[in-house]
Amino acid sequence: MLLAFSVAPSGQPAHLTADSGAVYSAASADASVHDAVAAAVKIVRDSGLPNHTDSMFTTIEGEWDEVFAVVKEATEAVGRFGSRVSLVIKADIRPGYSGELTAKVERLESAIADAG
């Protein structure tokens, strides 16, 4: 299974209220959520499963239960950065295949080269 996901926080963490005196935002002044995303990507990389991160999604490859366990842990990590979490998932479930994280791209590049 290949699973691409994007996860981002919004709002303030539950433990920080307006009257707590703390200054906190899920996003930086430029609306970046890179610290939260970094926490999620670290979990993915530490999982040992094949993965790839680009500017929009992180793709992870493995069996159903192991992939979703990593996504759950990554989502929970992002949840510490806000009161809400947005999670987008797209999966390619193809039993009997592995190594597709790179093999699909290799087949695409080969087709482009062959088209000349």
Side-chain angles (χ1 to χ4, degrees):
M1 155 187 266
L2 289 175
L3 186 140
F5 75 104
S6 175
V7 60
S10 63
Q12 289 185 347
H15 66 281
L16 297 178
T17 61
D19 56 330
S20 70
V23 178
Y24 183 89
S25 174
S28 65
D30 65 354
S32 177
V33 292
H34 61 268
D35 289 337
V37 173
V41 172
K42 181 171 181 356
I43 288 166
V44 171
R45 291 181 179 172
D46 289 349
S47 77
L49 294 174
N51 63 85
H52 171 79
T53 299
D54 61 38
S55 62
M56 296 292 291
F57 287 92
T58 293
T59 304
I60 186 169
E61 183 171 13
E63 296 300 318
W64 184 280
D65 290 340
E66 61 188 359
V67 167
F68 274 98
V70 172
V71 171
K72 179 181 180 188
E73 186 179 351
T75 301
E76 290 170 346
V78 169
R80 293 191 293 274
F81 289 83
S83 58
R84 298 177 81 164
V85 175
S86 173
L87 174 64
V88 176
I89 294 175
K90 182 174 182 177
D92 181 358
I93 304 163
R94 195 173 184 193
Y97 285 81
S98 63
E100 290 296 285
L101 187 66
T102 55
K104 288 178 80 169
V105 176
E106 290 167 1
R107 288 191 300 271
L108 171 67
E109 294 296 341
S110 178
I112 292 170
D114 291 347

